[in-house]
Amino acid sequence: MYGIDISEDMKKTASKRNRKALENNQLFLETGDCCNLPYEENMLSGVSSINTIYFWNDAVRVCQK
């Protein structure tokens, strides 16, 4: 599973809460912008977002990908 957040503080919090999953390579966290994802095309089979869309610069473009 991959996680991305624009906030370094949120990444740190998620890393603490999910330490075991990170240690077991079950979770990979990054700091970044969901409008410019660093992943290869067709790498992800699904995407989930909770309480974030109002922070996106271009929600329409992101949802069309």
Side-chain angles (χ1 to χ4, degrees):
M1 187 177 300
Y2 293 83
I4 189 167
D5 198 293
I6 202 157
S7 166
E8 183 64 34
D9 289 339
M10 289 306 298
K11 179 185 172 193
K12 288 177 185 176
T13 298
S15 295
K16 289 177 186 175
R17 291 183 180 174
N18 297 282
R19 183 181 50 83
K20 287 187 180 185
L22 288 166
E23 290 172 355
N24 293 328
N25 294 319
Q26 297 170 319
L27 176 65
F28 304 92
L29 299 176
E30 298 184 55
T31 304
D33 183 352
C34 71
C35 295
N36 188 21
L37 293 173
Y39 309 120
E40 294 179 27
E41 183 131 354
N42 298 317
M43 180 177 155
L44 307 173
S45 60
V47 176
S48 176
S49 172
I50 300 170
N51 298 328
T52 63
I53 196 167
Y54 34 80
F55 294 113
W56 299 0
N57 294 328
D58 192 349
V60 172
R61 183 175 63 86
V62 172
C63 292
Q64 290 175 337
K65 289 185 175 185

